[in-house]
Amino acid sequence: MVKVRIGAVVAEFNYDITHMMLELAKEHAKFLESEITEVITVPGVFDMPLAIKKLLEQDDIDAVVTLGAVIEGATSHDEIVVQHASRKIADLALEYDKPVGLGITGPGMTRLEAHQRVEYAKRAVEAVVKMTERLK
């Protein structure tokens, strides 16, 4: 039996990185006797809240993980994206009483650092599984 049914919202931006994150998240969910049962891809991290909301509304989803990599550019755009997205993601978890794991790396990181941080996906899965079990 699956302990926790997880929805995943994955950014297409930097997909070479976020795709690896998704595969790691799926493996780790299985290791924790849970499962990523639905995946929604969105253009970027800023676009995640609406997809998260759609998943949280479903009775067959216990928790959601967000997977994205926000790489530093020439401006402070990366900081603004992560700040606003993470705030809204936290608000949605509170609104729907379901855990939402923040598997978004950045801001202020290089592409190399993003590759080195794909493991953050596992942390997000671990967090939502623990939170779901502890809040039952």
Side-chain angles (χ1 to χ4, degrees):
M1 187 177 141
V2 173
K3 282 202 282 191
V4 180
R5 299 162 302 178
I6 304 167
V9 178
V10 185
E12 292 171 345
F13 204 74
N14 299 313
Y15 195 67
D16 57 318
I17 297 163
T18 61
H19 180 72
M20 283 191 289
M21 294 176 85
L22 177 59
E23 293 310 308
L24 279 173
K26 286 178 178 177
E27 284 175 25
H28 200 58
K30 204 171 284 184
F31 174 74
L32 297 173
E33 298 172 14
S34 298
E35 186 182 354
I36 293 179
T37 56
E38 189 167 345
V39 177
I40 298 177
T41 55
V42 294
V45 166
F46 193 80
D47 307 300
M48 287 183 168
L50 189 57
I52 295 165
K53 182 178 179 181
K54 290 288 180 205
L55 289 170
L56 291 172
E57 288 172 345
Q58 296 179 27
D59 292 333
D60 61 346
I61 296 288
D62 301 313
V64 173
V65 292
T66 59
L67 304 174
V70 182
I71 294 171
E72 188 173 32
T75 66
S76 61
H77 178 75
D78 61 318
E79 292 173 21
I80 293 164
V81 165
V82 172
Q83 184 178 12
H84 286 285
S86 59
R87 174 76 247 177
K88 192 62 198 164
I89 288 165
D91 290 346
L92 286 165
L94 293 171
E95 183 181 339
Y96 286 90
D97 287 324
K98 292 182 182 181
V100 180
L102 193 64
I104 298 169
T105 57
M109 67 177 179
T110 64
R111 179 163 284 283
L112 177 62
E113 289 169 328
H115 277 282
Q116 293 166 344
R117 295 178 188 170
V118 293
E119 296 279 319
Y120 282 41
K122 289 166 67 174
R123 294 183 192 175
V125 170
E126 187 124 357
V128 298
V129 169
K130 284 179 178 176
M131 287 295 289
T132 302
E133 290 173 340
R134 292 174 188 176
L135 296 175
K136 277 185 180 172

